[in-house]
Amino acid sequence: MPEPSSLCPIAAPGDKPPVPPAPEALAYSLTLPSAPRSPAIARAETRTVLKAHGLDDVTDAAVQVVGEMTACSYRLAPAAEVYVSLRYRDDALRVVLYDAHPRHTHPRLAAACDARRRASLRVLACVVKACAGEWGFGDAREPGGGTRMWAVLPRGGARGYGTGKSSEPGPVSR
């Protein structure tokens, strides 16, 4: 009697060779409590993930950006959790953070809240500018609403962050 074939075979540990993480495979996300310790957790996790994927050269900039976003979210979001996503695509690290702080419908409240968030992200803005990247925030596209913050750090620009070599033209003051 022939062996029954399985439609969903389970691979034995030695069936496939391990594939080392590569920058192009970086796609991580984590949900953190909205708490004072979360920026430190997010920074440590970012450092570990980037090292594992061979992106040590962008770590300084990325850790600063993730920490700033997480701290801002903790100060502004009323919810119990924040969601952080790290993706590496097209030679750039993309950092996205969602918090549950609702976008205001009244124009003056929205402007005041946006100004408060922008002021809270001043350091992030400087880091992203030094890396020749982009950043912003706006409505979350996820169910339940909230706010989505994002930053794109091109690898070439982030590589020079913290070394005094900026991708910006002209002198850099630190």
Side-chain angles (χ1 to χ4, degrees), residues 40-91:
I41 294 167
R43 288 190 304 268
E45 198 65 30
T46 298
R47 192 174 284 111
T48 300
V49 165
L50 293 176
K51 181 176 179 156
H53 285 268
L55 290 165
D56 300 66
D57 53 348
V58 302
T59 299
D60 290 343
V63 165
Q64 187 70 45
V65 164
V66 168
E68 295 297 324
M69 282 184 175
T70 310
C72 173
S73 180
Y74 162 67
R75 288 190 300 272
L76 298 177
E81 298 177 333
V82 295
Y83 172 83
V84 182
S85 169
L86 301 170
R87 304 280 185 270
Y88 188 80
R89 302 287 180 272
D90 301 323
D91 211 26

Side-chain angles (χ1 to χ4, degrees), residues 2-173:
E3 296 266 333
S5 66
S6 173
L7 295 176
C8 185
I10 297 174
D15 287 354
K16 292 183 182 178
V19 178
E24 297 75 25
L26 189 143
Y28 284 82
S29 59
L30 63 147
T31 302
L32 298 166
S34 184
R37 67 187 179 279
S38 292
I41 294 167
R43 288 190 304 268
E45 198 65 30
T46 298
R47 192 174 284 111
T48 300
V49 165
L50 293 176
K51 181 176 179 156
H53 285 268
L55 290 165
D56 300 66
D57 53 348
V58 302
T59 299
D60 290 343
V63 165
Q64 187 70 45
V65 164
V66 168
E68 295 297 324
M69 282 184 175
T70 310
C72 173
S73 180
Y74 162 67
R75 288 190 300 272
L76 298 177
E81 298 177 333
V82 295
Y83 172 83
V84 182
S85 169
L86 301 170
R87 304 280 185 270
Y88 188 80
R89 302 287 180 272
D90 301 323
D91 211 26
L93 180 69
R94 287 151 168 66
V95 180
V96 178
L97 186 140
Y98 293 95
D99 64 45
H101 183 73
R103 303 291 294 160
H104 299 282
T105 54
H106 189 280
R108 268 191 277 158
L109 283 175
C113 190
D114 285 355
R116 184 174 175 207
R117 189 175 291 261
R118 200 171 292 106
S120 184
L121 295 169
R122 283 187 310 255
V123 172
L124 174 138
C126 291
V127 173
V128 173
K129 183 178 180 182
C131 296
E134 301 174 9
W135 73 280
F137 60 87
D139 291 331
R141 296 177 239 167
E142 310 308 311
T147 301
R148 173 184 177 259
M149 292 184 279
W150 56 270
V152 178
L153 301 172
R155 190 170 188 180
R159 190 177 283 134
Y161 179 78
T163 65
K165 298 176 186 171
S166 174
S167 59
E168 285 182 16
V172 177
S173 60

